[in-house]
Amino acid sequence: MSATGIGAPVRRTEDFRFITGKGQYTDDINRAGQAHAYFLRSPHAHAEIVKIDASKAKAMDGVIAILTGDDLAADKIGGLICGWMIHNKDGSPMRAGGHPALAQGKVRYVGDHVAVIIAETYQQAKDAAEAIDVTYKTLSAVADIDSALKKGAPVVHDVAPDNTVFNWHLGDKAATDAAFAKAKQITKLDLINNRLVPNPMEPRAAVGDYDAGTGVFTLHTTSQNPHVARLVLSAFIGIAPEHKLRVIAPDVGGGFGSKIFIYAEETVCVWASKKVGRPVKWTSDRTEAFLSDAHGRDHVTHAEMALDDKGRILGLRVNTKANLGAYLSTFSSSVPTYLYAPLLSGQYNIPAIYCEVDAVYTNTAPVDAYRGAGRPEATFVIERLVEVAARERGEDPALFRRKNFVTQFPHQTPVIMAYDVGNYSASLDKAMDMADVKNFGKRKKDSERNGKLRGLGYSAYIEACGIAPSQAVGSLGAGVGLWESAEVRVNPVGTVEVLTGSHSHGQGHETTFAQLVSDRLGIPLDQVAIVHGDTDKVQFGMGTYGSRSGAVGMSAIAQALDKVIAKGKKVAAYALEAAEGDIDFKDGRFSVKGTDKSLAFGEVALQAYIAHKFSGQQLEPGLKETAFYDPTNFTFPAGVHICEVEIDPDTGVTRIDRWTAVDDFGVVINPMIVEGQVHGGIAQGVGQALLEGAHYNKDGQLVTASYMDYTMPRADDLPSFAVGMTSTPCPSNPLGIKGCGEAGAIAAPPAVINAITDALGHENISMPATPQRVWQAAQQSQRKLAAE
Amino acid sequence: MYAFNYQRPKTVRQAAGLLAKAGGDGKLLAGGQTLLPTMKQRLASPAMLIDLNQVDGMSGIELKGRNLHIGAMTKHADVANSHVVKTAIPGLAALAEGIGDPAVRNRGTIGGSIANNDPAADYPAACLGLGATIVTNKRKIPADEFFTGMFDTALEEGEIVTKVIFPVPQKAAYEKFPNPASRYAMVGVFVGKKGSDVRVAVTGAGANGVFRLPEFEAALKTRFNAKSLDGLSVPADGLNGDIHASPEYRAHLIGVMAKRAVSKALGK
Ligand SMILES: Cc1cc2nc3c(=O)[nH]c(=O)nc-3n(C[C@H](O)[C@H](O)[C@H](O)COP(=O)(O)OP(=O)(O)OC[C@H]3O[C@@H](n4cnc5c(N)ncnc54)[C@H](O)[C@@H]3O)c2cc1C
C-alpha cells in the first residue's frame, strides 16, 4: 500500500476549501441581473384554490412577475414525475396523481407551491407574497396512514379514490403460509418506522439562467445527480432539450437522499428565467426545508416470524403501510418496495418470505429516499423480530442470530437478492469482543446499584448497495439504468483529470477517487483532479445515492484507467522501441521486460500527445479514455452493531454508554473517511431511534417545523464509537468495494431499541424513544413487576 | 424581516425617551437572541429598534454586602464565568452556563431574558427562587410580582430593566430537564434557602410561566433535605402539554428535579 493509494487514511483534500469558507455552493452563485424568487406556499393541508388575486402584489415595488400553475399549463410545462413504476398485485400500474410544479386547482399539503413571486430582491418578493389574496375552499385533510385508509376519507388524488397508490407484494405467499402452518413458535410485532426530516446543513437552492443568444438554459442547483435532473427536466417536464440545458451541481452541503429528487422550485426557477428574461434565484429557508424537502421513512408494519422447535427461522410474513405523502416524489415508489422487501431476509437463512406493501397518499410532504432508503426500514423489522423471538425462547440473542446466519455463499434469498459473499459470524465475534459483552452482567449490576437500568442491543444488519445492474432494475420498474460513467483525461505532462458521474456532497470523492488514480497510475495525489457535477463537463452520470459511488462510480473510473494503461503501453512500446507485449506498467513506470529501459507515466503521456514516435495511422495520438460501468450485482455490506444503554428510570433519559460497530465493507479505499461515514450514519440512526420524528397534527399542520421541536442528534447525545472492520472483498466489482455511506443509519435504530427494551424488560417501544416514552414504559414495567 | 429604524442611545434616559417617542412601535434590543429571530420570521415588526448595547452602566456584576447586583445587559456567558457569581451563588452561574449554546450565551442578556419571560426560560426560576428584585428605570419590582404570565411581565410601557438584585442565599441550586429539541427548560426547578426563607420555583412546566411550590417550600422549611419531599406531588392540572411532555410527565419531573436540586444545593 502506498501512502496515497488504496487503503491509506489520507486526509480529505477538499476540506481545506470547505473549512476556510472557499466552497462554492449554489447560494454563492450570483448571475448578472439576477432576480429573486419566493414561493407562496399553502397554509392548508388540503384545499381547493378558488381564486388567486395578485393584482395588488403585482403593482408593488420591485415585483417582476407573479406566476401560477396556469402559467405553467399555458407553457405546456409538464408535472414532476415518479421514475419507478410499481405494479399492483393484480398487475395494474400504480396510481400516480398529477404533480404540477405550481398547484393547479388544489393544494395537497402545507408548503405546497401556490405561486412564485419574482422580484428585484428577496424581501420584495416576500412582501409581495403577503399581498396576494388567495381564496381557498378548505377540505378535510388526511395526515396519517390510518385516517387516509378510513372508509369515506377525504381523497388526495382523484386517480386514487381510496388513497392507495399501490398494493404490492413480493415473495411466495403459499410457501410462507405453509411455513407458518408448521411453526412451533410465532413471534409477532407491530412496528412504526417514524417519519424523518432529512435536514442537510445546506438547504436546497437553485439559480435558473436563460441565454437568449444561444437558447441554452443553465441551472445551478443543489443536486446529488445533475444528469438525472437534466434528463427529467428535459424529457419529462419539457423545459428544453438536453443539449440546450446545462445543469450544474457545485459544492453541495449534504443531501442524505433529499437532493436526489427533482423538485418544484428548481423547475420553476429555470423555466421562469426565460419568461422574465432574467436569471432567477431561490434559496430555501429552514422552515421551507422542513415543509417541502422530501421526508423519509414513515411505515406502519405488522410482522410475524415462524420458528421451529429448535429456534430455526421457517418464515417471515410482513405487512407494511407506507406513507408517500401528497405527491409521488422522484423515486418514492421504489423505496418501500424494491429497496425494502428484498432486504427482509437480513443475515438469516429464511426459506419463505412474503411481504405486502400498501402505499398511501396523505396530505403531508412527499416521502422519498433518505439515508438508507428502505433498508433501514427492513433492518428494523427483521432485527426487532429476531431479538424478540430470541427473548421469547429465552435464548441469548447473539446465539440465536448466529444459529440462523447464512454461512454458504452465494446465497439466494426468497426475495430477489443473491448474497455474493460475507462472513457474518466474524463480525459478530469481533463486535462482541470489542463491546466486552462478557462483562455486561457486571456492568448491569453496577448500574442497578445506582438506580439505573442497563441494556444491550444487537443489530446484525445487511444492506444492498452499489445500485445497480441496469437490466435487473429495469425488470423491476426503474425508468433508468443505474450504471455509472467516467472519463480519465491525461494531460501531456502527466497530470490527470477524472470526470465522474458520481457527485460528492460530503463523501470525500475528491480524495478517495484520487487515491484510486494514484494507486493505479503511481502518481501523487496532487497531480489528480476530480471533476463532477456539471453536465457540460461530465459525459453522463447517474449520481450519488445508495452507497453506489465506490462500488459503481469508482469501478467506472477503474475501467477507464485500465484503458489508459493499455493505451499507455502501446505508446511506450513505440517510444521504447519494444513490442507492446513486452511492456510492463508498475509503480508509475512503463518498462521493457528484462531490461532497464523504462519511461515514467508522465513521459509516456507526453509521447502520446507529441506523437513523434508513431504515426497517427498506427495509433491515435492523445491519452484520454472513457468508460460506462454497469455492475453485475448489488453489493451486500453487512455487520454487527452493539449498543449499550443506561436508563434513568426516574426521568426516562436514555444515555448511550457504548457503541460498537463492526462492518464488512469489502475493500476500503480510505479507512478514515469510511469511519467518518460510519460515525455520521450512526448519529442519524440514533437520531431516528431516540430523538427525531416529524409530527403532523390531524389537520396536517407540521408541528415539528423547526429546531425548537424537531430534535436533531447533537454530539453530546452520542458516545465515542468503537469502530472495527472485517473484510470479505466483493466479487461483483473490479475493486472489491461494497459501500459504507448508509450502514450506520441502517444498523443503528434496532440496536438502540433492542438495548432499551432489554433494559426495561419490555418487548416494544416506539421510536423516537424519547424520555417521556421511556419513562412511561419504565412505569409500566414497574407496575408489571409489582403485580407479579 | 421588515425594514425598521435603528437607534443606539448612550444612556438609559435617552433610551427611555426614544421608546416614548416611538409610541407602541419601538422595541428595545438587548442580545437579540429572541427578538431578531422573531423579526426574521416576520412575527414581529417594530418600526424602531433601540439598541441598548452602548448604554453606559447597564452591564456588570457586583457584590454589595449580601446582595449580588447584575446589570440587565450582562451576558449569560459573563454570569456563567464570573468568579463573583461562582463564589456567591454558584447555582446561578451554573444556570447561566446551561442556557442555549455558546453563541447564545455570548449575546443573550439577563435583562432580555426576564423581560421576555419565555415560559421555558431559565432565569425567571432563579429570580423567583432567590427572591430577586428587578430594578427598572422607574422602580424596584420584587420577582414575586414581576412574572405575570406567559411572555408577560409587570413592566409597563416604556419601562426598562436596568439590573437584577439577588440576595445571596445560604444554599441554592438549579436542576434543568431540557426540552430534547430546543434545550430550553422542559422542567427547571430552582431551590433557594436563606435563613428560614425557602423558595422552590418551577419554570418550563407552567402554562402561565414560572411559579412557586408552597407545599414543597413548607416541607423543606421543616428540614432542608430531598427526603422531605418524599410523598409530595404536583397536580398535572394547569401544566403544559406538548409533543415532548404531557402535563403528567412534567408534574412527575418537577418532583424529581426538585429533589435533585435540593441534594445539589446540599452539595450531595
Ligand atoms: C438557540 C437558542 C437557544 C436558547 N436557549 C435558551 C435556554 O436554554 N434557556 C433560556 O432561558 N433561554 C434560551 N434562549 C433565549 C436567550 O437566553 C435570550 O438571551 C433571551 O431569551 C433574550 O435575551 P436577549 O438579551 O437576547 O433579548 P432580546 O432578544 O434582545 O430581547 C428580548 C425581549 O426583551 C426586551 N428587552 C430586552 N432587554 C430589555 C430591558 N433591559 N428592559 C426591558 N425589555 C428588554 C426586548 O425588547 C424584547 O422584547 C435561547 C435562544 C436561542 C436563540
Side-chain angles (χ1 to χ4, degrees):
Chain A
M1 179 181 98
S2 78
T4 57
I6 290 175
V10 177
R11 287 211 187 168
R12 297 180 11 137
T13 49
E14 48 270 79
D15 284 352
F16 177 78
R17 166 167 109 246
F18 294 144
I19 62 182
T20 55
K22 302 289 186 220
Q24 273 285 309
Y25 297 88
T26 299
D27 191 53
D28 293 321
I29 299 195
N30 293 298
R31 311 289 284 193
Q34 158 184 298
H36 296 266
Y38 179 77
F39 286 85
L40 177 65
R41 294 173 186 275
S42 172
H44 305 294
H46 200 190
E48 278 167 30
I49 300 174
V50 180
K51 191 166 162 234
I52 302 176
D53 179 358
S55 49
K56 211 171 114 208
K58 274 185 177 150
M60 286 171 69
D61 274 356
V63 174
I64 297 166
I66 295 176
L67 305 170
T68 67
D70 289 346
D71 299 295
L72 277 173
D75 282 6
K76 302 206 163 37
I77 299 297
L80 307 180
I81 59 149
C82 177
W84 199 303
M85 172 53 76
I86 297 298
H87 290 93
N88 291 301
K89 288 174 187 161
D90 66 7
S92 60
M94 67 182 185
R95 292 176 289 186
H99 189 181
L102 295 170
Q104 291 169 348
K106 199 174 165 188
V107 285
R108 293 183 172 84
Y109 67 101
V110 172
D112 204 352
H113 316 72
V114 176
V116 64
I117 300 90
I118 298 164
E120 297 294 339
T121 71
Y122 176 74
Q123 294 297 336
Q124 285 171 331
K126 220 167 165 176
D127 289 344
E130 286 175 11
I132 298 178
D133 189 9
V134 185
T135 313
Y136 293 102
K137 182 175 165 232
T138 56
L139 306 167
S140 322
V142 285
D144 58 58
I145 292 171
D146 277 354
S147 36
L149 292 179
K150 279 215 180 83
K151 252 205 154 58
V155 175
V156 181
H157 287 277
D158 293 343
V159 292
D162 56 358
N163 289 324
T164 302
V165 187
F166 54 76
N167 56 56
W168 172 90
H169 63 167
L170 185 70
D172 187 335
K173 182 171 190 304
T176 307
D177 287 346
F180 275 81
K182 64 175 189 218
K184 285 277 152 5
Q185 175 191 343
I186 295 178
T187 297
K188 302 180 179 180
L189 262 184
D190 286 296
L191 298 166
I192 293 174
N193 208 287
N194 44 325
R195 184 179 180 113
L196 304 174
V197 181
N199 281 302
M201 207 181 286
E202 178 208 23
R204 290 188 294 118
V207 187
D209 189 357
Y210 176 70
D211 181 336
T214 58
V216 172
F217 289 87
T218 302
L219 172 64
H220 284 86
T221 185
T222 46
S223 174
Q224 301 179 210
N225 39 207
H227 281 91
V228 177
R230 186 182 65 168
L231 179 69
V232 170
L233 287 165
S234 291
F236 298 95
I237 299 177
I239 296 290
E242 278 167 286
H243 66 297
K244 294 285 184 192
L245 175 58
R246 176 182 184 185
V247 177
I248 302 172
D251 285 331
V252 173
F256 311 117
S258 71
K259 293 172 182 166
I260 298 171
F261 323 122
I262 290 78
Y263 287 92
E265 291 87 352
E266 60 253 30
T267 303
V268 167
C269 284
V270 69
W271 161 70
S273 68
K274 180 176 181 187
K275 248 186 139 43
V276 302
R278 302 267 298 267
V280 175
K281 179 175 191 171
W282 169 79
T283 301
S284 171
D285 68 22
R286 195 48 76 178
T287 307
E288 290 181 287
F290 271 102
L291 292 176
S292 70
D293 287 2
H295 293 179
R297 320 276 194 258
D298 207 345
H299 285 193
V300 175
T301 293
H302 176 77
E304 301 185 351
M305 179 174 272
L307 300 123
D308 70 12
D309 54 351
K310 297 200 179 64
R312 281 182 205 285
I313 305 171
L314 298 173
L316 187 65
R317 194 147 59 192
V318 177
N319 183 298
T320 292
K321 295 188 171 49
N323 185 351
L324 294 186
Y327 300 97
L328 297 186
S329 171
T330 318
F331 289 111
S332 57
S333 56
S334 67
V335 178
T337 51
Y338 290 110
L339 295 177
Y340 169 65
L343 275 305
L344 283 169
S345 194
Q347 298 188 356
Y348 311 104
N349 257 308
I350 307 182
I353 298 178
Y354 180 63
C355 175
E356 295 174 284
V357 178
D358 290 349
V360 180
Y361 281 123
T362 59
N363 294 112
T364 63
V367 177
D368 206 324
Y370 168 67
R371 201 169 192 171
R375 291 101 85 208
E377 295 90 318
T379 303
F380 193 64
V381 171
I382 183 72
E383 282 307 291
R384 288 288 296 120
L385 262 180
V386 163
E387 188 75 25
V388 174
R391 287 178 194 166
E392 283 176 0
R393 296 181 59 75
E395 227 175 293
D396 178 83
L399 290 179
F400 178 81
R401 283 179 169 85
R402 193 189 299 275
K403 180 166 73 186
N404 284 288
F405 274 164
V406 170
T407 52
Q408 303 289 316
F409 296 90
H411 171 81
Q412 178 61 54
T413 72
V415 277
I416 300 177
M417 292 304 184
Y419 300 166
D420 48 6
V421 70
N423 184 348
Y424 306 145
S425 291
S427 296
L428 180 61
D429 289 341
K430 187 164 178 177
M432 289 177 74
D433 195 41
M434 285 171 62
D436 190 24
V437 171
K438 65 175 188 302
N439 288 311
F440 170 72
K442 190 174 157 296
R443 295 194 292 276
K444 191 172 169 74
K445 284 216 183 70
D446 289 346
S447 294
E448 265 161 26
R449 234 170 279 132
N450 296 321
K452 303 275 169 56
L453 306 170
R454 186 172 281 264
L456 184 105
Y458 293 90
S459 173
Y461 76 96
I462 188 167
E463 58 145 333
C465 290
I467 48 177
S470 299
Q471 282 194 328
V473 293
S475 74
L476 303 178
V480 290
L482 288 169
W483 41 263
E484 194 47 88
S485 104
E487 181 177 332
V488 175
R489 291 184 192 162
V490 182
N491 297 316
V493 290
T495 58
V496 174
E497 287 157 37
V498 175
L499 296 94
T500 169
S502 300
H503 185 280
S504 188
H505 36 277
Q507 294 85 348
H509 294 172
E510 287 171 41
T511 307
T512 48
F513 288 14
Q515 282 183 255
L516 169 63
V517 177
S518 171
D519 195 275
R520 288 289 165 103
L521 299 184
I523 58 173
L525 282 186
D526 62 6
Q527 293 188 13
V528 185
I530 305 298
V531 178
H532 66 94
D534 184 342
T535 59
D536 264 15
K537 292 184 181 165
V538 178
Q539 56 183 358
F540 211 94
M542 296 313 297
T544 289
Y545 38 84
S547 304
R548 66 192 302 276
S549 300
V552 190
M554 286 179 89
S555 291
I557 297 172
Q559 206 165 289
L561 287 169
D562 287 345
K563 293 183 190 175
V564 165
I565 293 168
K567 172 93 182 271
K569 283 184 177 171
K570 287 192 168 62
V571 175
Y574 283 108
L576 294 166
E577 295 172 347
E580 189 190 332
D582 287 340
I583 304 290
D584 278 339
F585 180 67
K586 204 172 162 252
D587 298 333
R589 292 196 83 79
F590 292 91
S591 58
V592 183
K593 277 192 185 86
T595 74
D596 60 358
K597 287 205 291 183
S598 73
L599 286 174
F601 177 75
E603 293 171 307
V604 170
L606 186 65
Q607 289 298 332
Y609 281 95
I610 60 177
H612 293 170
K613 303 280 187 190
F614 54 90
S615 77
Q617 285 66 47
Q618 288 169 308
L619 187 65
E620 277 183 31
L623 194 52
K624 189 213 85 166
E625 298 290 346
T626 64
F628 282 74
Y629 172 79
D630 202 354
T632 56
N633 191 359
F634 290 85
T635 65
F636 298 97
V640 172
H641 287 217
I642 302 177
C643 167
E644 195 168 316
V645 299
E646 192 179 58
I647 292 171
D648 177 349
D650 288 340
T651 58
V653 170
T654 301
R655 186 176 63 83
I656 297 179
D657 187 42
R658 291 166 176 239
W659 195 285
T660 309
V662 174
D663 301 285
D664 177 355
F665 297 135
V667 171
V668 165
I669 305 292
N670 182 324
M672 184 198 69
I673 289 181
V674 166
E675 196 168 322
Q677 290 286 318
V678 173
H679 286 194
I682 296 170
Q684 277 178 311
V686 168
Q688 166 158 35
L690 288 182
L691 306 163
E692 300 182 50
H695 183 86
Y696 282 92
N697 71 13
K698 68 174 187 353
D699 300 323
Q701 294 292 335
L702 184 61
V703 177
T704 50
S706 82
Y707 296 127
M708 292 300 283
D709 284 303
Y710 188 89
T711 313
M712 291 296 284
R714 294 161 163 98
D716 65 358
D717 292 314
L718 303 162
S720 191
F721 307 122
V723 177
M725 307 261 169
T726 58
S727 181
T728 55
C730 178
S732 311
N733 63 61
L735 295 169
I737 294 176
K738 294 185 182 176
C740 66
E742 295 151 295
I746 292 167
V752 175
I753 299 301
N754 287 339
I756 292 177
T757 51
D758 179 49
L760 295 175
H762 230 261
E763 69 251 7
N764 215 350
I765 189 163
S766 293
M767 298 193 292
T770 57
Q772 168 163 259
R773 281 188 173 144
V774 172
W775 174 71
Q776 282 162 346
Q779 299 287 101
Q780 275 174 31
S781 297
Q782 274 162 9
R783 273 201 295 274
K784 218 171 75 186
L785 274 181
E788 273 164 15
Chain B
M1 201 178 271
Y2 298 100
F4 55 86
N5 290 313
Y6 176 77
Q7 295 282 349
R8 201 150 46 174
K10 295 273 187 250
T11 65
V12 175
R13 258 184 98 115
Q14 281 174 10
L18 286 164
L19 207 49
K21 220 171 83 192
D25 278 345
K27 271 260 176 219
L28 299 171
L29 175 69
Q33 296 302 294
T34 296
L35 184 53
L36 295 184
T38 323
M39 289 170 64
K40 280 189 186 167
Q41 291 186 308
R42 299 189 157 199
L43 298 170
S45 50
M48 187 191 290
L49 274 195
I50 301 147
D51 186 343
L52 298 176
N53 282 279
Q54 293 199 349
V55 173
D56 273 344
M58 270 189 84
S59 71
I61 297 166
E62 205 182 340
L63 189 65
K64 290 190 182 169
R66 293 307 296 156
N67 288 311
L68 185 66
H69 292 232
I70 301 182
M73 288 299 289
T74 310
K75 312 233 185 289
H76 308 333
D78 294 332
V79 174
N81 298 326
S82 155
H83 183 67
V84 178
V85 181
K86 280 183 184 167
T87 314
I89 319 180
L92 185 62
L95 173 147
E97 178 67 38
I99 297 176
D101 50 45
V104 171
R105 291 196 289 277
N106 281 290
R107 295 296 315 170
T109 67
I110 186 168
S113 177
I114 63 173
N116 190 49
N117 194 18
D118 188 309
D122 296 305
Y123 268 128
C127 292
L128 213 52
L130 290 167
T133 301
I134 287 90
V135 182
T136 75
N137 57 336
K138 299 191 176 149
R139 58 188 167 138
K140 292 183 170 178
I141 311 169
D144 283 309
E145 292 162 25
F146 184 83
F147 302 103
T148 50
M150 173 141 68
F151 295 107
D152 204 19
T153 66
L155 289 175
E156 284 161 8
E157 189 88 17
E159 201 167 7
I160 300 173
V161 177
T162 54
K163 68 173 156 185
V164 185
I165 302 174
F166 294 97
V168 175
Q170 276 117 21
K171 293 179 176 40
Y174 181 58
E175 271 292 314
K176 171 177 180 174
F177 191 99
N179 175 304
S182 71
R183 297 213 174 164
Y184 274 72
M186 197 157 86
V187 168
V189 178
F190 200 104
V191 296
K193 174 175 162 47
K194 187 171 196 249
S196 63
D197 186 22
V198 173
R199 288 167 163 258
V200 179
V202 181
T203 188
N208 293 315
V210 63
F211 63 92
R212 286 173 67 181
L213 284 176
E215 232 191 303
F216 280 41
E217 291 174 355
L220 290 171
K221 225 173 258 180
T222 313
R223 199 162 73 97
F224 193 79
N225 191 297
K227 283 214 160 43
S228 309
L229 300 178
D230 280 349
L232 292 186
S233 63
V234 180
D237 272 3
L239 297 186
N240 291 329
D242 52 37
I243 57 168
H244 304 287
S246 64
E248 290 72 27
Y249 181 46
R250 276 194 167 85
H252 166 79
L253 284 178
I254 291 173
V256 177
M257 292 299 118
K259 282 185 190 166
R260 290 184 182 179
V262 171
S263 296
K264 204 192 245 179
L266 290 167
K268 285 185 189 163

